Amino acid sequence: MQQRPEVLEGHAPFREYKTWFRVTGNPNSDNVPLIVAHGGPGCTHDYVLSFADIAQSGRCVIHYDQIGNGRSTHLRGAPEGFWSVDLFLGELDNLLRHLGIGQRYNLLGQSWGGMLAAEHAVRRPEGLNALVIASSPSSMPVWVVEALRLRKALPLDVQETLARHEADGTYDHPDYQAASDVFYRRHVCRLDPWPDDVVRTFRALAEDPTVYHAMNGPTEFHVIGTLKDWTVDDRLHRVAVPTLVMSGYHDEATQACVEPFVQLIPNAQQIVMPNSAHMCHLEERADTMAAVEGFLSQHDLRVSA
């Protein structure tokens, strides 16, 4: 019987705050470690914890909760402008230094985490070895257009409920939440019931939506936060490491959302998981882990320039 990888948890001081992290597996392995950035903005590591499966191959896998989320420092009173891409880039750099892996590491970002990972990669950090972007848009304006397109395919009564409560600003109304859930079940996670990891993340997001509201807005359809005009398209040519772009066939991160990553990052590879929405790491878990580990293993021996 295969022994389960060891798990270490801790906090990395960041400015006057603390970033919670979890290390699964041996950090001294010959395989290049993988750090996982979760989505949201404002979610937690829980729903992407399945990527710890990769540690069974001998690769160390690192999760963390971004500032404002999960087990890291919460800042409910912070002004909207506090929550920025630069804040989370600085936190990621700090965590890499704290863990002593900044000289060589792989980075996987899911959804908003992939946006953050792309921002990190275009800066050409010396230690970045390989990049995985999972179900992420390269442009928030395109994301909104595509979300509204998918929404128009929902049942008419669901569309009417969404529109009515958005006009009233009653986003917390049970009917609005139920109508939004129809979209989520089609384009976020198609498993029924949702795995406990997903439930924990959504519960945490509901308990403290500070980051989500500041950077995104009240819903997936109504993006009015600090990311509303964000795009990385004009800088993707600067990514200088092997890159894998993953998404689901039914994903809210549609092909239009991910296409710039595929076309503008030099020699990027793409995989579309046929039976998944936004969470192929859960919806097609084994196949997703095999694809990610297979990609990363090709580059374990690569020497950074």
Side-chain angles (χ1 to χ4, degrees):
M1 184 175 181
Q2 189 174 22
Q3 186 176 2
R4 297 182 64 180
E6 60 179 304
V7 174
L8 171 68
E9 297 182 3
H11 287 88
F14 173 59
R15 302 180 184 176
E16 60 267 45
Y17 319 119
K18 291 183 178 180
T19 302
W20 176 89
F21 63 85
R22 167 185 165 134
V23 179
T24 305
N26 179 11
N28 297 315
S29 167
D30 291 337
N31 298 336
V32 181
L34 172 66
I35 187 163
V36 179
H38 66 70
C43 290
T44 67
H45 78 283
D46 299 89
Y47 83 100
V48 287
L49 189 56
S50 57
F51 284 110
D53 292 355
I54 291 173
Q56 295 284 354
S57 68
R59 186 181 310 281
C60 174
V61 180
I62 299 151
H63 289 81
Y64 72 106
D65 284 334
Q66 296 159 23
I67 291 292
N69 309 294
R71 303 180 192 181
S72 294
T73 303
H74 285 242
L75 296 158
R76 290 175 172 84
E80 183 179 275
F82 174 83
W83 305 105
S84 68
V85 171
D86 284 342
L87 170 73
F88 293 108
L89 286 173
E91 180 187 31
L92 175 57
D93 288 342
N94 179 76
L95 181 59
L96 293 168
R97 288 191 298 268
H98 179 82
L99 295 173
I101 62 171
Q103 73 281 359
R104 195 153 184 241
Y105 58 95
N106 299 313
L107 176 60
L108 182 152
Q110 199 278 339
S111 196
W112 145 251
M115 297 159 62
L116 181 65
E119 286 278 9
H120 181 79
V122 299
R123 289 160 170 78
R124 296 185 174 179
E126 185 176 348
L128 182 60
N129 182 70
L131 177 68
V132 181
I133 296 175
S135 296
S136 306
S138 68
S139 163
M140 284 303 283
V142 173
W143 169 270
V144 172
V145 168
E146 288 296 284
L148 294 177
R149 180 180 66 81
L150 294 175
R151 170 172 160 161
K152 288 180 181 178
L154 298 176
L156 186 59
D157 62 324
V158 172
Q159 294 184 54
E160 291 173 345
T161 299
L162 291 170
R164 182 170 65 254
H165 287 286
E166 286 166 356
D168 296 339
T170 50
Y171 301 106
D172 293 333
H173 194 282
D175 290 347
Y176 185 81
Q177 297 296 321
S180 297
D181 191 59
V182 176
F183 179 90
Y184 294 150
R185 299 284 173 172
R186 287 190 181 190
H187 300 295
V188 177
C189 183
R190 296 167 72 87
L191 296 178
D192 187 17
W194 277 0
D196 289 343
D197 290 351
V198 177
V199 172
R200 286 199 304 275
T201 283
F202 273 81
R203 183 184 300 126
L205 179 59
E207 290 173 353
D208 186 1
T210 302
V211 182
Y212 184 75
H213 286 172
M215 297 187 75
N216 183 85
T219 71
E220 300 289 273
F221 319 113
H222 194 43
V223 179
I224 57 175
T226 58
L227 287 175
K228 67 181 187 301
D229 298 319
W230 176 87
T231 180
V232 73
D233 288 356
D234 59 337
R235 292 168 287 144
L236 288 176
H237 66 279
R238 290 186 51 80
V239 177
V241 297
T243 301
L244 175 65
V245 181
M246 300 190 72
S247 59
Y249 181 79
H250 305 282
D251 208 323
E252 61 178 338
T254 64
Q255 181 61 27
C257 291
V258 306
E259 185 70 18
F261 291 126
V262 180
Q263 295 298 325
L264 300 176
I265 295 176
N267 301 313
Q269 302 176 37
Q270 182 180 24
I271 295 177
V272 178
M273 303 302 289
N275 299 310
S276 294
H278 198 52
M279 298 187 181
C280 62
H281 55 279
L282 291 169
E283 295 165 287
E284 295 178 84
R285 182 167 178 164
D287 288 346
T288 298
M289 300 309 147
V292 172
E293 174 54 30
F295 169 74
L296 295 179
S297 65
Q298 296 174 35
H299 305 290
D300 279 336
L301 299 179
R302 192 179 74 89
V303 177
S304 300

